[in-house]
Amino acid sequence: MTLEGPTRSGGAVGRFMSNYGMLAVLVLLCAFFSWVTVQEQQRSGTDAAAVLARDLEGAGPLPARVLIVAGTGEEDARFADALAQRLSAKGVEVAGKVQGEPRDVRKAIQEIVDASGRIDVVATTRQCADWPLLGDLGAAFPSLADARVRVPASYTWPTFLNTENLRNVASQIVVIAVIAIGMTMVIITGGIDLSVGSLVALSAVVVAWLIRRMGGEAATGPAMVLASVGAVLACGAVGAFSGLVITVFRIPPFIATLAMMQVASGLAFLITQGQSIYQIPDSFVWLGRGADLLGIPNAVLLMVVLYAAAYVLMSRTVLGRYIYAVGGNAEATRLSGIRVRGVIVFVYVVSGLAAGLGGVVTASQLKSGAPSYGLMYELYVIAAVVVGGTSLAGGEGKILGTLIGALIIAVIWNGMNLTGVEGYTQKVVLGLVILTAVLLDMLKKRSWPWRLLRRQARPAA
Amino acid sequence: MQLQQVVEIAKALSQGARIIVMDEPSATLTRQEVEKLFAVIRELKAAGIAVIYISHRLDEVFEIADRATVMRDGETVDTLDVRGLTRERLIEMMVGRKLENEFPKVRAAIGPPRLEVEHLSRAGAVRDVSFHVRRGEVLGLTGLVGSGRTEVARLVFGADRRDGGTIRLDGRALDIRSPRDAIRHGICLLNEDRKAQGLVLGLPVRENFSLPNLGQFSRLGFVRRRAERAAFARRARALHLSVPHDETPASSLSGGNQQKLVLAKWLESNSEVILFDEPTRGIDIGAKYEIYLLMNDLAARGKSILMISSELPEVLGMSDRILVMHEGRLSGEIVDVARATQPQILALAMR
């Protein structure tokens, strides 16, 4: 008995590579962008304060009087406070803590100098040290000509791997990745759902509209949850409608969901009369911007949980089996006694719900709802699914592959932003990535380069 | 001959091929096209080009080959001159045992009627067809292509909507509106086109096997994979279904093994009435023989089999009773199969 292709044969490594070869691509991409973004990194906040305090300590006897200067912003405030606290604890006299624009700082320093005279060290951030004011301290304040300006030491590290940046990558991709869960199921059944982008807009608008109806900025937590659930369910209903249209009237999914894309987008504009809705409490951003557990954004946690659930559904449950079977051969599946229509409606409902959830997350990230959200998302989502190794022909694909596909797209995006590739070039690159992914997939499956060689060597009918 | 194959041959010749391998070239060809292919092969032969012709059709071997190599289970059995080789000898080599008969029919104890179909009809395909299949009986159903044989089976199975007619099982009227209903009542259909309708080719053999049986292999919607594996291993052993691994995609099985896989899945779902549409189409002679033995075995266990076939020797060789269809109607019934002849069936089929 012969096996077709390398997919189910070979060792564990071979099987892993054919299943998750894209993971290797992702890792390589991360390594590449880490390598090209290695540069001097500035510390900020309490971290910077700790390093600077240690440095001051290590550089011989502690200075007697220190003036702390920082710019505007929360990070700078934290830096100043933490540094003052640490230095005081070590018995250093903090002559003053000055914060603000250069103009305000100059005035404040002047007051301190007038009042108390001598200062040994001006402790400040890298940014403030670059101000002309601090760059030439003696010129501005003759009495401070001897004072040294000290800043927290910098370090070398890939910008790509900064916590901040990684969090950015994750937040950018969460919405796409969540929607891609539903899309993967739809595509595995051999369908497609073009309405997801519009559903993001519809969902964002509905949740914002409901919150405004339930008190606007004064809306309570339960009210916001209710509004979110309502928006998600509304999108699920649209998905159900698409599924029914596809199964009952046998309209091709491409056409049916193209129509629903228009309908959903139109509804979103109708609900808001084309406006954005901003009357939303600050606490609504908890889902989109919050990070409660170990600094991991809540939306990312939500995504991980959803992927875990989808993975179990697709690989362990009867319904998952049916989804693959329908995509592989709908007629054979029907003749095996499975309710094919039910399975198809189910995947479109999931797709609708996922898009609805994506819309709520978007609304939460942006703290508003507007009918323009989600534009072109269907294409990014499909790209993530395809890059993740799911065949548009249906019948095969992997949920975790989709997650990897979404991450690959996010990493390429982010990496190009970090390295200063401009927007139009980014589009070109992204398009080529999608093409390459599809080609790789075909290559893996059909091993056609080898077959081509064989045909040359042994012409056969 | 199909253009594609002409092109392939031309390509081979243009590259100066001395040997041309043809793997089941006639599978997609009509009889006339095969004739043309053979004419081409004879010309190639005359030009001194060797042809290796792979086929499961014995008639073709006798018609075109000079020497024949028989393989079984990945090994060469023997290579012999076709001149002087008998059909029986060839089959024995393929099957690996002495053959008394190409059709090893064993008559089972035949009981009372199980499946009773009355006035079955569907516009344009089936007109007022009534018949019954008894317990332990193999009922042959034949007729020309397009006479409605397959359609009868599909209507009984609920694959298509019927315009009229009643279906009773063990005296109880069944309300069959979908394959799902039929399967629940223990009726199964093995399609003539396994690749398009019987199997999900891209899925592993085990998952194909489980598809209609996941109710048994699951708890709260989760697949119990251990139970599934065990059941598959049991059935595969019983049917001599040879697969390297239960994750092997169904597409990589031979025709005979695919048929056994389909049979395995229906036996697991406790089918009592088996609608067998062209059970041995596209299957080599060795596997054919095994399918016949399986049919004997099923009948002996009291199952009722409706065997649809275009192969008259098969119909005559394996049926306990024969129905013939013509243009959507039953045109005749042959009870005394032992004395029936092919011309007799043909006469009924073309009436």
Side-chain angles (χ1 to χ4, degrees):
Chain A
M1 182 114 355
T2 55
L3 290 176
E4 266 183 15
T7 38
R8 305 245 176 203
S9 61
V13 177
R15 203 172 313 160
F16 181 81
M17 280 306 289
S18 72
N19 282 345
Y20 293 108
M22 281 298 153
L23 191 59
V25 174
L26 176 63
V27 170
L28 284 177
L29 276 174
C30 289
F32 174 74
F33 283 120
S34 301
W35 180 60
V36 296
T37 59
V38 168
Q39 53 186 242
E40 217 181 324
Q41 306 289 334
Q42 305 303 334
R43 291 188 168 86
S44 67
T46 54
D47 182 32
V51 169
L52 182 52
R54 207 169 52 227
D55 281 359
L56 288 175
E57 205 174 348
L62 279 167
R65 281 170 60 84
V66 174
L67 173 66
I68 299 172
V69 178
T72 53
E74 276 178 41
E75 280 291 283
D76 280 37
R78 268 200 288 277
F79 164 75
D81 291 344
L83 188 59
Q85 205 180 358
R86 277 174 184 273
L87 292 178
S88 305
K90 289 187 175 121
V92 177
E93 187 188 334
V94 177
K97 208 170 63 182
V98 182
Q99 266 188 274
E101 302 289 334
R103 193 157 33 95
D104 310 325
V105 170
R106 172 189 288 269
K107 228 180 284 171
I109 294 180
Q110 193 63 56
E111 277 167 27
I112 291 168
V113 170
D114 291 347
S116 56
R118 201 177 66 87
I119 282 173
D120 298 316
V121 165
V122 175
T124 185
T125 64
R126 163 61 64 186
Q127 262 175 325
C128 299
D130 289 340
W131 292 347
L133 172 70
L134 297 186
D136 194 1
L137 211 52
F141 314 102
S143 62
L144 295 187
D146 293 340
R148 283 170 299 139
V149 175
R150 297 288 304 268
V151 296
S154 61
Y155 61 101
T156 309
W157 183 253
T159 306
F160 176 78
L161 290 182
N162 275 347
T163 323
E164 186 70 15
N165 187 59
L166 290 181
R167 215 176 278 155
N168 256 334
V169 174
S171 304
Q172 277 169 1
I173 206 60
V174 154
V175 175
I176 301 286
V178 166
I179 303 171
I181 291 175
M183 186 69 85
T184 306
M185 294 183 193
V186 167
I187 290 181
I188 286 176
T189 64
I192 192 101
D193 188 352
L194 298 177
S195 67
V196 293
S198 297
L199 287 181
V200 167
L202 182 64
S203 165
V205 162
V206 167
V207 72
W209 182 78
L210 284 175
I211 289 176
R212 191 170 66 183
R213 295 276 314 231
M214 293 191 287
E217 275 156 41
T220 59
M224 288 189 283
V225 170
L226 207 64
S228 304
V229 170
V232 171
L233 289 183
C235 291
V238 174
F241 186 78
S242 297
L244 286 173
V245 167
I246 289 163
T247 51
V248 176
F249 298 106
R250 290 167 196 255
I251 294 178
F254 188 94
I255 306 296
T257 57
L258 188 70
M260 291 318 291
M261 170 179 163
Q262 297 299 317
V263 170
S265 177
L267 283 177
F269 276 95
L270 282 176
I271 290 171
T272 62
Q273 270 120 37
Q275 306 292 309
S276 298
I277 299 176
Y278 295 106
Q279 295 85 338
I280 292 175
D282 287 339
S283 55
F284 185 62
V285 303
W286 174 83
L287 179 61
R289 298 187 205 162
D292 288 344
L293 186 75
L294 304 169
I296 302 168
N298 295 334
V300 173
L301 284 179
L302 174 72
M303 176 186 85
V304 169
V305 168
L306 290 178
Y307 266 91
Y311 174 78
V312 170
L313 174 75
M314 293 303 281
S315 63
R316 294 276 184 274
T317 69
V318 173
L319 192 53
R321 288 279 182 88
Y322 289 169
I323 290 172
Y324 280 106
V326 167
N329 187 339
E331 181 63 4
T333 306
R334 184 178 79 95
L335 294 179
S336 288
I338 282 92
R339 290 194 192 94
V340 171
R341 288 177 172 188
V343 174
I344 290 177
V345 170
F346 172 81
V347 296
Y348 284 93
V349 169
V350 172
S351 182
L353 292 173
L357 203 53
V360 170
V361 172
T362 306
S364 170
Q365 282 176 339
L366 302 172
K367 215 186 119 198
S368 58
S372 57
Y373 291 172
L375 198 66
M376 300 272 284
Y377 272 26
E378 57 279 344
L379 297 186
Y380 298 129
V381 169
I382 293 169
V385 175
V386 169
V387 170
T390 296
S391 159
L392 282 176
E396 55 185 312
K398 292 201 158 50
I399 280 288
L400 296 187
T402 295
L403 180 58
I404 293 167
L407 288 174
I408 284 178
I409 288 176
V411 164
I412 290 175
W413 236 336
N414 177 263
M416 287 193 295
N417 278 332
L418 290 180
T419 48
V421 177
E422 50 144 1
Y424 303 128
T425 319
Q426 291 189 6
K427 283 192 168 186
V428 174
V429 172
L430 207 60
L432 293 179
V433 165
I434 294 166
L435 267 185
T436 315
V438 175
L439 269 177
L440 277 176
D441 188 49
M442 284 172 55
L443 213 143
K444 182 187 84 185
K445 226 175 295 164
R446 306 211 190 131
S447 60
W448 59 261
W450 291 275
R451 184 167 290 189
L452 218 60
L453 285 175
R454 217 182 301 154
R455 193 174 291 174
Q456 296 275 316
R458 193 202 71 178
Chain B
M1 233 189 309
Q2 285 187 345
L3 207 54
Q4 219 178 346
Q5 275 154 324
V6 177
V7 170
E8 286 293 339
I9 293 174
K11 216 162 66 186
L13 290 175
S14 74
Q15 290 169 350
R18 306 298 303 154
I19 300 174
I20 299 181
V21 181
M22 301 186 183
D23 191 357
E24 298 274 3
S26 60
T28 57
L29 302 182
T30 63
R31 187 59 225 172
Q32 288 88 334
E33 288 171 334
V34 173
E35 294 294 344
K36 278 188 222 163
L37 175 68
F38 285 175
V40 172
I41 291 177
R42 287 190 189 101
E43 276 174 43
L44 292 173
K45 214 171 96 177
I49 292 169
V51 175
I52 299 175
Y53 188 96
I54 301 169
S55 176
H56 73 274
R57 297 184 181 171
L58 298 189
D59 303 339
E60 292 182 358
V61 174
F62 286 102
E63 195 171 344
I64 196 70
D66 296 310
R67 285 187 303 140
T69 296
V70 175
M71 291 187 67
R72 190 175 66 241
D73 298 332
E75 285 175 19
T76 303
V77 178
D78 204 354
T79 300
L80 295 169
D81 278 337
V82 170
R83 196 189 317 231
L85 182 65
T86 62
R87 187 182 169 84
E88 287 66 36
R89 174 77 191 111
L90 194 60
I91 294 173
E92 279 170 15
M93 282 162 65
M94 293 171 72
V95 180
R97 64 183 155 247
K98 272 262 177 236
L99 273 193
E100 279 86 51
N101 193 338
E102 202 173 326
F103 303 103
K105 173 65 181 171
V106 176
R107 210 179 149 84
I110 292 177
R114 297 204 76 176
L115 179 74
E116 293 168 281
V117 175
E118 269 161 29
H119 310 302
L120 192 68
S121 50
R122 176 177 166 88
V126 175
R127 281 181 279 174
D128 194 23
V129 167
S130 302
F131 66 93
H132 64 267
V133 192
R134 295 166 186 275
R135 188 184 166 86
E137 183 182 41
V138 177
L139 177 63
L141 178 59
T142 188
L144 300 179
V145 172
S147 61
R149 304 166 307 181
T150 295
E151 195 53 35
V152 165
R154 286 179 64 90
L155 292 180
V156 171
F157 186 60
D160 295 318
R161 202 183 298 271
R162 61 181 194 273
D163 297 334
T166 57
I167 299 166
R168 282 205 302 268
L169 185 67
D170 295 329
R172 211 155 45 89
L174 304 182
D175 181 22
I176 294 177
R177 291 156 186 261
S178 68
R180 193 181 174 76
D181 296 334
I183 292 164
R184 215 179 38 236
H185 290 117
I187 299 173
C188 72
L189 170 66
L190 286 89
N191 298 97
E192 54 181 333
D193 189 350
R194 290 178 295 276
K195 286 176 195 269
Q197 302 184 334
L199 294 169
V200 184
L201 290 176
L203 289 185
V205 289
R206 176 175 42 80
E207 293 187 15
N208 268 292
F209 164 77
S210 311
L211 200 51
N213 305 313
L214 280 171
Q216 287 159 248
F217 302 143
S218 65
R219 189 178 295 139
L220 301 172
F222 285 85
V223 179
R224 291 156 54 214
R225 290 208 280 192
R226 193 179 304 221
E228 184 193 11
R229 285 227 158 82
F232 176 70
R234 209 161 45 233
R235 291 286 175 191
R237 219 177 306 123
L239 296 181
H240 303 289
L241 170 60
S242 56
V243 288
H245 194 271
D246 65 5
E247 291 285 332
T248 307
S251 57
S252 66
L253 298 190
S254 67
N257 276 318
Q258 285 184 344
Q259 187 67 288
K260 287 187 203 168
L261 174 58
V262 178
L263 195 53
K265 86 175 180 184
W266 290 130
L267 293 183
E268 187 65 27
S269 71
N270 295 320
S271 295
E272 288 300 319
V273 175
I274 297 166
L275 311 172
F276 231 144
D277 196 357
E278 300 287 0
T280 61
R281 173 174 292 176
I283 291 177
D284 71 65
I285 196 95
K288 246 184 196 178
Y289 194 77
E290 281 192 78
I291 298 284
Y292 294 144
L293 291 179
L294 280 171
M295 283 170 62
N296 281 340
D297 182 47
L298 294 173
R301 283 195 278 154
K303 313 261 183 197
S304 305
I305 301 174
L306 178 71
M307 182 186 73
I308 299 170
S309 178
S310 308
E311 308 266 336
L312 294 185
E314 178 174 277
V315 174
L316 286 166
M318 288 306 297
S319 308
D320 294 306
R321 195 156 54 92
I322 299 171
L323 297 178
V324 186
M325 283 189 76
H326 175 67
E327 290 182 353
R329 292 181 193 280
L330 282 182
S331 57
E333 178 179 8
I334 297 172
V335 181
D336 188 1
V337 177
R339 270 190 242 157
T341 60
Q342 293 197 23
Q344 192 186 348
I345 295 178
L346 278 174
L348 290 170
M350 298 198 285
R351 185 159 68 186

